[in-house]
Amino acid sequence: MALGWTSSSPLVLHGRHFGQTVFALCNYPALLTAGILRLEELQDSPIEDYPADVRREHRVFMDLIDSYPGLLDRLTTGEEEDVSHIGELLGKGASGARGDDTKTLKSAVLEWLVPRGQVVIPPLSRNIKSDRGFNHEVTGALLCPAGLDWSDIVTKLSLKSGETAVRGDQWPMFLYAGYEYDPEDPWKGLLKGEILIFGFKHVFTSPSSVDKEPKATRSGNAYLHGMKSVTKGSLAYIATQVRFALSSSSVFSRTDTVTDSENFYHSILDLLEDPDESEEVVDLMMWWTRRIFPNSSSSHRNISQNSALSKIREKRAALQARANLNIT
């Protein structure tokens, strides 16, 4: 017997926030079904034995289970149709949030293209996107893949005509602070573009907070869900939404090969979840959290002097330094 949850179920609301902050593009019924089966398999073989894509899928599944108390019990004690129904409600929430954000950013992004007080020339329509993307000087410059020169007429015409196809893993200039890319230091300014900050505030703290000091309003998504730090998933999500808002495509689709949004989203997550890039990623996420949630405890990492914690850290550092000397 299917569980009697309606469209107003807390699962729909949870799906909205989970999609925005953890993982946006997935088939939730399939994720749940595969996750439950894998829990049984993992009794005989470790997760490390599985391919990278399966490990990520399972990590998402476990994040979902951990974020909703009692969900695992409902999934494992219910019937197959119950699992499917739960997945459909979560998916409804995730796709609903994505659709709402796509709709509001479509218009809002036009306010962030040029400095306040200036106008976009030629003007862009709020309702029709066909003149965006590489069809417009401003949006084209922002979407131009890092490493290509938008000011070069041959490059510009090739991008506009589609002769130069842009894959999702060819990251656009708007991801970079000051919209400047340094090929010698590709991490410099990455995922710190101003338009990304505007987009994040618009979706998570409230549209009115874009031009104000960081503060999560009581009606904002972050406040409603107790969000106190920027997550890797939320950063990849906003980057994907802003990229689509700047494009000339009218309908967001995971299978759209023109915008290649799913590949773009995964490529950002791949970087942020890469253990080899952890040092840069930790710094990046701290930068974002301080920017969006300056009053959050997770944005303050200074340890009080002479505290027990500071003494533990000092002792650990001394032991590590001594060990390094012995090694050399």
Side-chain angles (χ1 to χ4, degrees), residues 224-241:
L224 294 175
H225 293 275
M227 186 179 179
K228 296 180 180 179
S229 62
V230 175
T231 64
K232 298 171 184 176
S234 62
L235 189 50
Y237 176 80
I238 290 301
T240 303
Q241 285 281 12

mmCIF file with all atom_site columns, all heavy atoms in Angstrom, residues 224-241:
data_model
loop_
_atom_site.group_PDB
_atom_site.id
_atom_site.type_symbol
_atom_site.label_atom_id
_atom_site.label_alt_id
_atom_site.label_comp_id
_atom_site.label_asym_id
_atom_site.label_entity_id
_atom_site.label_seq_id
_atom_site.pdbx_PDB_ins_code
_atom_site.Cartn_x
_atom_site.Cartn_y
_atom_site.Cartn_z
_atom_site.occupancy
_atom_site.B_iso_or_equiv
_atom_site.pdbx_formal_charge
_atom_site.auth_seq_id
_atom_site.auth_comp_id
_atom_site.auth_asym_id
_atom_site.auth_atom_id
_atom_site.pdbx_PDB_model_num
ATOM 1   N N   . LEU A 1 224 ? 15.094 29.398 6.375   1.00 0.00 ? 224 LEU A N   1
ATOM 2   C CA  . LEU A 1 224 ? 14.044 28.401 6.569   1.00 0.00 ? 224 LEU A CA  1
ATOM 3   C C   . LEU A 1 224 ? 14.599 27.004 6.787   1.00 0.00 ? 224 LEU A C   1
ATOM 4   O O   . LEU A 1 224 ? 13.991 26.178 7.467   1.00 0.00 ? 224 LEU A O   1
ATOM 5   C CB  . LEU A 1 224 ? 13.089 28.404 5.374   1.00 0.00 ? 224 LEU A CB  1
ATOM 6   C CG  . LEU A 1 224 ? 12.251 29.671 5.174   1.00 0.00 ? 224 LEU A CG  1
ATOM 7   C CD1 . LEU A 1 224 ? 11.448 29.571 3.890   1.00 0.00 ? 224 LEU A CD1 1
ATOM 8   C CD2 . LEU A 1 224 ? 11.320 29.902 6.369   1.00 0.00 ? 224 LEU A CD2 1
ATOM 9   N N   . HIS A 1 225 ? 15.773 26.717 6.223   1.00 0.00 ? 225 HIS A N   1
ATOM 10  C CA  . HIS A 1 225 ? 16.345 25.370 6.328   1.00 0.00 ? 225 HIS A CA  1
ATOM 11  C C   . HIS A 1 225 ? 17.564 25.316 7.247   1.00 0.00 ? 225 HIS A C   1
ATOM 12  O O   . HIS A 1 225 ? 18.273 24.308 7.268   1.00 0.00 ? 225 HIS A O   1
ATOM 13  C CB  . HIS A 1 225 ? 16.708 24.855 4.935   1.00 0.00 ? 225 HIS A CB  1
ATOM 14  C CG  . HIS A 1 225 ? 15.519 24.616 4.058   1.00 0.00 ? 225 HIS A CG  1
ATOM 15  N ND1 . HIS A 1 225 ? 14.793 23.450 4.084   1.00 0.00 ? 225 HIS A ND1 1
ATOM 16  C CD2 . HIS A 1 225 ? 14.904 25.415 3.148   1.00 0.00 ? 225 HIS A CD2 1
ATOM 17  C CE1 . HIS A 1 225 ? 13.789 23.524 3.221   1.00 0.00 ? 225 HIS A CE1 1
ATOM 18  N NE2 . HIS A 1 225 ? 13.836 24.710 2.636   1.00 0.00 ? 225 HIS A NE2 1
ATOM 19  N N   . GLY A 1 226 ? 17.793 26.387 8.002   1.00 0.00 ? 226 GLY A N   1
ATOM 20  C CA  . GLY A 1 226 ? 18.910 26.386 8.938   1.00 0.00 ? 226 GLY A CA  1
ATOM 21  C C   . GLY A 1 226 ? 20.266 26.330 8.268   1.00 0.00 ? 226 GLY A C   1
ATOM 22  O O   . GLY A 1 226 ? 21.245 25.832 8.843   1.00 0.00 ? 226 GLY A O   1
ATOM 23  N N   . MET A 1 227 ? 20.355 26.843 7.064   1.00 0.00 ? 227 MET A N   1
ATOM 24  C CA  . MET A 1 227 ? 21.607 26.809 6.292   1.00 0.00 ? 227 MET A CA  1
ATOM 25  C C   . MET A 1 227 ? 22.549 27.896 6.804   1.00 0.00 ? 227 MET A C   1
ATOM 26  O O   . MET A 1 227 ? 22.217 29.079 6.793   1.00 0.00 ? 227 MET A O   1
ATOM 27  C CB  . MET A 1 227 ? 21.291 27.018 4.807   1.00 0.00 ? 227 MET A CB  1
ATOM 28  C CG  . MET A 1 227 ? 22.467 26.876 3.879   1.00 0.00 ? 227 MET A CG  1
ATOM 29  S SD  . MET A 1 227 ? 21.898 27.133 2.167   1.00 0.00 ? 227 MET A SD  1
ATOM 30  C CE  . MET A 1 227 ? 23.432 26.937 1.268   1.00 0.00 ? 227 MET A CE  1
ATOM 31  N N   . LYS A 1 228 ? 23.747 27.505 7.263   1.00 0.00 ? 228 LYS A N   1
ATOM 32  C CA  . LYS A 1 228 ? 24.681 28.458 7.851   1.00 0.00 ? 228 LYS A CA  1
ATOM 33  C C   . LYS A 1 228 ? 26.034 28.474 7.138   1.00 0.00 ? 228 LYS A C   1
ATOM 34  O O   . LYS A 1 228 ? 26.948 29.158 7.566   1.00 0.00 ? 228 LYS A O   1
ATOM 35  C CB  . LYS A 1 228 ? 24.873 28.147 9.334   1.00 0.00 ? 228 LYS A CB  1
ATOM 36  C CG  . LYS A 1 228 ? 23.585 28.308 10.149  1.00 0.00 ? 228 LYS A CG  1
ATOM 37  C CD  . LYS A 1 228 ? 23.817 27.992 11.611  1.00 0.00 ? 228 LYS A CD  1
ATOM 38  C CE  . LYS A 1 228 ? 22.522 28.165 12.401  1.00 0.00 ? 228 LYS A CE  1
ATOM 39  N NZ  . LYS A 1 228 ? 22.709 27.830 13.842  1.00 0.00 ? 228 LYS A NZ  1
ATOM 40  N N   . SER A 1 229 ? 26.147 27.695 6.092   1.00 0.00 ? 229 SER A N   1
ATOM 41  C CA  . SER A 1 229 ? 27.383 27.696 5.315   1.00 0.00 ? 229 SER A CA  1
ATOM 42  C C   . SER A 1 229 ? 27.059 27.362 3.865   1.00 0.00 ? 229 SER A C   1
ATOM 43  O O   . SER A 1 229 ? 26.031 26.756 3.571   1.00 0.00 ? 229 SER A O   1
ATOM 44  C CB  . SER A 1 229 ? 28.389 26.682 5.874   1.00 0.00 ? 229 SER A CB  1
ATOM 45  O OG  . SER A 1 229 ? 27.874 25.368 5.788   1.00 0.00 ? 229 SER A OG  1
ATOM 46  N N   . VAL A 1 230 ? 27.926 27.788 2.972   1.00 0.00 ? 230 VAL A N   1
ATOM 47  C CA  . VAL A 1 230 ? 27.761 27.499 1.551   1.00 0.00 ? 230 VAL A CA  1
ATOM 48  C C   . VAL A 1 230 ? 28.272 26.084 1.294   1.00 0.00 ? 230 VAL A C   1
ATOM 49  O O   . VAL A 1 230 ? 29.362 25.715 1.733   1.00 0.00 ? 230 VAL A O   1
ATOM 50  C CB  . VAL A 1 230 ? 28.541 28.521 0.696   1.00 0.00 ? 230 VAL A CB  1
ATOM 51  C CG1 . VAL A 1 230 ? 28.476 28.161 -0.779  1.00 0.00 ? 230 VAL A CG1 1
ATOM 52  C CG2 . VAL A 1 230 ? 27.991 29.929 0.925   1.00 0.00 ? 230 VAL A CG2 1
ATOM 53  N N   . THR A 1 231 ? 27.474 25.281 0.608   1.00 0.00 ? 231 THR A N   1
ATOM 54  C CA  . THR A 1 231 ? 27.864 23.900 0.309   1.00 0.00 ? 231 THR A CA  1
ATOM 55  C C   . THR A 1 231 ? 28.416 23.798 -1.109  1.00 0.00 ? 231 THR A C   1
ATOM 56  O O   . THR A 1 231 ? 28.177 24.671 -1.950  1.00 0.00 ? 231 THR A O   1
ATOM 57  C CB  . THR A 1 231 ? 26.656 22.950 0.429   1.00 0.00 ? 231 THR A CB  1
ATOM 58  O OG1 . THR A 1 231 ? 25.679 23.320 -0.570  1.00 0.00 ? 231 THR A OG1 1
ATOM 59  C CG2 . THR A 1 231 ? 26.030 23.042 1.810   1.00 0.00 ? 231 THR A CG2 1
ATOM 60  N N   . LYS A 1 232 ? 29.136 22.730 -1.366  1.00 0.00 ? 232 LYS A N   1
ATOM 61  C CA  . LYS A 1 232 ? 29.668 22.495 -2.706  1.00 0.00 ? 232 LYS A CA  1
ATOM 62  C C   . LYS A 1 232 ? 28.527 22.348 -3.705  1.00 0.00 ? 232 LYS A C   1
ATOM 63  O O   . LYS A 1 232 ? 28.578 22.877 -4.813  1.00 0.00 ? 232 LYS A O   1
ATOM 64  C CB  . LYS A 1 232 ? 30.545 21.245 -2.709  1.00 0.00 ? 232 LYS A CB  1
ATOM 65  C CG  . LYS A 1 232 ? 31.769 21.354 -1.809  1.00 0.00 ? 232 LYS A CG  1
ATOM 66  C CD  . LYS A 1 232 ? 32.485 20.021 -1.671  1.00 0.00 ? 232 LYS A CD  1
ATOM 67  C CE  . LYS A 1 232 ? 33.641 20.114 -0.687  1.00 0.00 ? 232 LYS A CE  1
ATOM 68  N NZ  . LYS A 1 232 ? 34.292 18.800 -0.465  1.00 0.00 ? 232 LYS A NZ  1
ATOM 69  N N   . GLY A 1 233 ? 27.491 21.623 -3.286  1.00 0.00 ? 233 GLY A N   1
ATOM 70  C CA  . GLY A 1 233 ? 26.343 21.424 -4.156  1.00 0.00 ? 233 GLY A CA  1
ATOM 71  C C   . GLY A 1 233 ? 25.625 22.717 -4.487  1.00 0.00 ? 233 GLY A C   1
ATOM 72  O O   . GLY A 1 233 ? 25.191 22.930 -5.628  1.00 0.00 ? 233 GLY A O   1
ATOM 73  N N   . SER A 1 234 ? 25.506 23.617 -3.504  1.00 0.00 ? 234 SER A N   1
ATOM 74  C CA  . SER A 1 234 ? 24.806 24.884 -3.745  1.00 0.00 ? 234 SER A CA  1
ATOM 75  C C   . SER A 1 234 ? 25.606 25.781 -4.677  1.00 0.00 ? 234 SER A C   1
ATOM 76  O O   . SER A 1 234 ? 25.042 26.500 -5.501  1.00 0.00 ? 234 SER A O   1
ATOM 77  C CB  . SER A 1 234 ? 24.531 25.616 -2.419  1.00 0.00 ? 234 SER A CB  1
ATOM 78  O OG  . SER A 1 234 ? 25.727 25.952 -1.740  1.00 0.00 ? 234 SER A OG  1
ATOM 79  N N   . LEU A 1 235 ? 26.934 25.722 -4.586  1.00 0.00 ? 235 LEU A N   1
ATOM 80  C CA  . LEU A 1 235 ? 27.782 26.533 -5.457  1.00 0.00 ? 235 LEU A CA  1
ATOM 81  C C   . LEU A 1 235 ? 27.698 26.030 -6.901  1.00 0.00 ? 235 LEU A C   1
ATOM 82  O O   . LEU A 1 235 ? 27.569 26.828 -7.845  1.00 0.00 ? 235 LEU A O   1
ATOM 83  C CB  . LEU A 1 235 ? 29.222 26.490 -4.951  1.00 0.00 ? 235 LEU A CB  1
ATOM 84  C CG  . LEU A 1 235 ? 30.231 27.433 -5.607  1.00 0.00 ? 235 LEU A CG  1
ATOM 85  C CD1 . LEU A 1 235 ? 29.702 28.859 -5.665  1.00 0.00 ? 235 LEU A CD1 1
ATOM 86  C CD2 . LEU A 1 235 ? 31.556 27.392 -4.848  1.00 0.00 ? 235 LEU A CD2 1
ATOM 87  N N   . ALA A 1 236 ? 27.737 24.713 -7.079  1.00 0.00 ? 236 ALA A N   1
ATOM 88  C CA  . ALA A 1 236 ? 27.609 24.137 -8.424  1.00 0.00 ? 236 ALA A CA  1
ATOM 89  C C   . ALA A 1 236 ? 26.223 24.430 -8.994  1.00 0.00 ? 236 ALA A C   1
ATOM 90  O O   . ALA A 1 236 ? 26.073 24.695 -10.192 1.00 0.00 ? 236 ALA A O   1
ATOM 91  C CB  . ALA A 1 236 ? 27.857 22.626 -8.372  1.00 0.00 ? 236 ALA A CB  1
ATOM 92  N N   . TYR A 1 237 ? 25.218 24.394 -8.132  1.00 0.00 ? 237 TYR A N   1
ATOM 93  C CA  . TYR A 1 237 ? 23.833 24.646 -8.548  1.00 0.00 ? 237 TYR A CA  1
ATOM 94  C C   . TYR A 1 237 ? 23.662 26.074 -9.059  1.00 0.00 ? 237 TYR A C   1
ATOM 95  O O   . TYR A 1 237 ? 23.083 26.304 -10.130 1.00 0.00 ? 237 TYR A O   1
ATOM 96  C CB  . TYR A 1 237 ? 22.909 24.391 -7.362  1.00 0.00 ? 237 TYR A CB  1
ATOM 97  C CG  . TYR A 1 237 ? 21.441 24.690 -7.609  1.00 0.00 ? 237 TYR A CG  1
ATOM 98  C CD1 . TYR A 1 237 ? 20.633 23.785 -8.295  1.00 0.00 ? 237 TYR A CD1 1
ATOM 99  C CD2 . TYR A 1 237 ? 20.854 25.867 -7.141  1.00 0.00 ? 237 TYR A CD2 1
ATOM 100 C CE1 . TYR A 1 237 ? 19.282 24.045 -8.507  1.00 0.00 ? 237 TYR A CE1 1
ATOM 101 C CE2 . TYR A 1 237 ? 19.511 26.136 -7.349  1.00 0.00 ? 237 TYR A CE2 1
ATOM 102 C CZ  . TYR A 1 237 ? 18.725 25.221 -8.025  1.00 0.00 ? 237 TYR A CZ  1
ATOM 103 O OH  . TYR A 1 237 ? 17.388 25.486 -8.237  1.00 0.00 ? 237 TYR A OH  1
ATOM 104 N N   . ILE A 1 238 ? 24.167 27.049 -8.299  1.00 0.00 ? 238 ILE A N   1
ATOM 105 C CA  . ILE A 1 238 ? 24.028 28.449 -8.706  1.00 0.00 ? 238 ILE A CA  1
ATOM 106 C C   . ILE A 1 238 ? 24.821 28.731 -9.974  1.00 0.00 ? 238 ILE A C   1
ATOM 107 O O   . ILE A 1 238 ? 24.350 29.452 -10.866 1.00 0.00 ? 238 ILE A O   1
ATOM 108 C CB  . ILE A 1 238 ? 24.477 29.386 -7.566  1.00 0.00 ? 238 ILE A CB  1
ATOM 109 C CG1 . ILE A 1 238 ? 23.474 29.327 -6.427  1.00 0.00 ? 238 ILE A CG1 1
ATOM 110 C CG2 . ILE A 1 238 ? 24.633 30.818 -8.062  1.00 0.00 ? 238 ILE A CG2 1
ATOM 111 C CD1 . ILE A 1 238 ? 22.054 29.732 -6.799  1.00 0.00 ? 238 ILE A CD1 1
ATOM 112 N N   . ALA A 1 239 ? 26.014 28.161 -10.083 1.00 0.00 ? 239 ALA A N   1
ATOM 113 C CA  . ALA A 1 239 ? 26.816 28.353 -11.293 1.00 0.00 ? 239 ALA A CA  1
ATOM 114 C C   . ALA A 1 239 ? 26.055 27.837 -12.514 1.00 0.00 ? 239 ALA A C   1
ATOM 115 O O   . ALA A 1 239 ? 26.036 28.482 -13.575 1.00 0.00 ? 239 ALA A O   1
ATOM 116 C CB  . ALA A 1 239 ? 28.161 27.643 -11.159 1.00 0.00 ? 239 ALA A CB  1
ATOM 117 N N   . THR A 1 240 ? 25.389 26.700 -12.350 1.00 0.00 ? 240 THR A N   1
ATOM 118 C CA  . THR A 1 240 ? 24.622 26.111 -13.451 1.00 0.00 ? 240 THR A CA  1
ATOM 119 C C   . THR A 1 240 ? 23.407 26.971 -13.786 1.00 0.00 ? 240 THR A C   1
ATOM 120 O O   . THR A 1 240 ? 23.089 27.179 -14.972 1.00 0.00 ? 240 THR A O   1
ATOM 121 C CB  . THR A 1 240 ? 24.167 24.682 -13.075 1.00 0.00 ? 240 THR A CB  1
ATOM 122 O OG1 . THR A 1 240 ? 25.317 23.892 -12.740 1.00 0.00 ? 240 THR A OG1 1
ATOM 123 C CG2 . THR A 1 240 ? 23.426 24.022 -14.227 1.00 0.00 ? 240 THR A CG2 1
ATOM 124 N N   . GLN A 1 241 ? 22.727 27.471 -12.787 1.00 0.00 ? 241 GLN A N   1
ATOM 125 C CA  . GLN A 1 241 ? 21.549 28.310 -13.008 1.00 0.00 ? 241 GLN A CA  1
ATOM 126 C C   . GLN A 1 241 ? 21.911 29.640 -13.668 1.00 0.00 ? 241 GLN A C   1
ATOM 127 O O   . GLN A 1 241 ? 21.229 30.087 -14.608 1.00 0.00 ? 241 GLN A O   1
ATOM 128 C CB  . GLN A 1 241 ? 20.828 28.579 -11.674 1.00 0.00 ? 241 GLN A CB  1
ATOM 129 C CG  . GLN A 1 241 ? 20.027 27.410 -11.140 1.00 0.00 ? 241 GLN A CG  1
ATOM 130 C CD  . GLN A 1 241 ? 18.670 27.260 -11.841 1.00 0.00 ? 241 GLN A CD  1
ATOM 131 O OE1 . GLN A 1 241 ? 18.402 27.879 -12.867 1.00 0.00 ? 241 GLN A OE1 1
ATOM 132 N NE2 . GLN A 1 241 ? 17.805 26.440 -11.275 1.00 0.00 ? 241 GLN A NE2 1
#
